[in-house]
Amino acid sequence: MADHRRAGRAARSGARAVRGRPSVIILAAIGTALVVGAAGVLNLDDSADGSTRPTSASARPMGPNGAAAPGPGTVVGHGGAIPGIGSVMMAKVPRAALQAIPVTGIDRDANTNSVLLWQRASTRSPWVSFGAPMTGRNGANGWTGAHHEGDLRSPIGVFSLTAAGGRLPDPGSALPYEYQPSFYQTAAPQGEPLADAFNYVVAIDYNRVPGRPPSDPGRPLGDQVGGDIWLHVDHQAPTRGCVALTQDTLVSVMRWLSPRAHPMIIMGDVADLSADV
């Protein structure tokens, strides 16, 4: 999907170092397995018996300011569900997930969206919102349940968030961070203003191997269904399929995300995200 991938294929074979952290998270160690979701995309699915819980304060989902729990006035989910997310999508959220980011467009043709952070203290606790809603951008043509290369739509679904990277040094990400100034393309054809778009990215695990750095070329489902779907810095225009946030907002999200919380992104239009059948 992304032009930066095409430009970087020849140069990335030697660019695999992840700054200060291992580049691959061993899935067996966290009791998870790869499965293919209803939309034909890779998700992380919990294979434990439901007893997974944080064992200490450091294992709890953390906010951008380092707090272990949100402040007063936040919205609380009921019955194990996140408000606005129906049973179809909630069924795809692994039981072990303690952090989730719904990204919601008003309809399938919308290329702007609302983003809100949710977290819970344990697998048996209610979901609680963290912070205020944020505004983001997505694919220029909106959303799709059957994404393919070049359609300028963002894929609908539930995906894990397991690796980060960018042109700039690690801003304090808890996820493994790949610092690669030379990999992330800073210009694109057709005059797209991408100079700062890849200052920071969080890889969305759509058609990729979770835990590997963003520059990893692997596409387990093949090139035809696209790939390189990331959270990245807003460049004042719709994306080619990624989700974009302002740089300060994205840095805050990166500092909030915790590997121990098995963070997930739930993305699509409001009708698909709220569906119960």
Side-chain angles (χ1 to χ4, degrees), residues 38-82:
V41 294
L42 289 174
N43 299 297
L44 274 172
D45 191 19
D46 181 38
S47 60
D49 60 4
S51 61
T52 306
R53 299 177 191 170
T55 56
S56 67
S58 64
R60 296 174 190 166
M62 305 295 285
N65 61 359
T74 55
V75 179
V76 179
H78 298 284
I82 296 172

Side-chain angles (χ1 to χ4, degrees), residues 26-247:
I26 305 302
L27 300 181
I30 59 175
T32 59
L34 285 174
V35 297
V36 178
V41 294
L42 289 174
N43 299 297
L44 274 172
D45 191 19
D46 181 38
S47 60
D49 60 4
S51 61
T52 306
R53 299 177 191 170
T55 56
S56 67
S58 64
R60 296 174 190 166
M62 305 295 285
N65 61 359
T74 55
V75 179
V76 179
H78 298 284
I82 296 172
I85 305 301
S87 60
V88 174
M89 290 296 176
M90 283 305 304
K92 299 178 187 296
V93 177
R95 189 172 298 167
L98 303 180
Q99 292 179 323
I101 308 178
V103 178
T104 310
I106 59 172
D107 56 44
R108 281 209 172 188
D109 294 326
N111 55 37
T112 59
N113 53 67
S114 176
V115 180
L116 187 58
L117 308 182
W118 289 86
Q119 61 186 22
R120 55 181 179 171
S122 76
T123 59
R124 298 183 182 182
S125 300
W127 289 97
V128 181
S129 66
F130 189 100
M134 301 166 282
T135 299
R137 302 181 197 265
N138 51 272
N141 292 336
W143 299 95
T144 179
H147 178 63
H148 62 82
E149 187 75 25
D151 64 6
L152 299 183
R153 290 183 178 270
S154 298
I156 297 168
V158 179
F159 314 104
S160 53
L161 302 171
T162 55
R167 297 174 55 241
L168 300 182
D170 187 346
S173 171
L175 298 177
Y177 190 87
E178 177 189 46
Y179 174 43
Q180 290 287 0
S182 63
F183 172 74
Y184 302 99
Q185 186 174 319
T186 59
Q190 302 172 344
E192 294 181 16
L194 296 180
D196 300 319
F198 308 126
N199 284 349
Y200 302 112
V201 305
V202 176
I204 296 172
D205 290 337
Y206 169 87
N207 194 19
R208 69 184 302 272
V209 179
R212 294 187 180 174
S215 66
D216 185 85
R219 292 186 177 186
L221 301 177
D223 288 338
Q224 69 278 5
V225 298
D228 300 331
I229 304 298
W230 296 342
L231 283 169
H232 65 61
V233 175
D234 181 29
H235 51 80
Q236 303 301 310
T239 73
R240 298 181 63 83
C242 298
V243 175
L245 298 170
T246 66
Q247 181 162 301

Side-chain angles (χ1 to χ4, degrees), residues 18-29:
V18 177
R19 190 181 176 202
R21 299 182 180 91
S23 63
V24 179
I25 296 172
I26 305 302
L27 300 181

